[in-house]
Amino acid sequence: MLVLIWLYPAIAFCVSVIMFDLARTTKKHGQKVWMLFALISLVFVTGIVLWFAYRGDLNAQKWAKEWAHR
């Protein structure tokens, strides 16, 4: 669990790039689903910003211990 919390920015960045590319491709083909992919990409980018704002690099171990005890 701790490794996933530490790696969240890298994983989220990869997912957001993939979703952004899907959004561009589907918009090019005239499909309306591009808005969903763009929204998912925006959510992951926002998560990355919040991870750094709440100092996930320093608090990841504490968060993992708290979530493990729930």
Side-chain angles (χ1 to χ4, degrees):
M1 180 81 165
L2 180 59
V3 173
L4 291 176
I5 295 172
W6 279 339
L7 294 178
Y8 176 77
I11 295 167
F13 179 74
C14 294
V15 172
S16 67
V17 168
I18 291 168
M19 289 295 131
F20 182 76
D21 188 46
L22 280 171
R24 279 188 355 183
T25 303
T26 54
K27 185 176 182 182
K28 189 188 314 182
H29 292 297
Q31 299 174 355
K32 295 281 184 180
V33 74
W34 74 270
M35 290 182 237
L36 176 65
F37 293 137
L39 179 66
I40 292 170
S41 179
L42 182 66
V43 166
F44 276 105
V45 169
T46 304
I48 293 169
V49 170
L50 290 174
W51 190 87
F52 282 109
Y54 286 108
R55 298 299 301 194
D57 53 338
L58 299 177
N59 297 322
Q61 190 170 10
K62 183 181 88 172
W63 294 342
K65 286 179 183 177
E66 289 174 1
W67 293 341
H69 288 92
R70 286 186 179 181

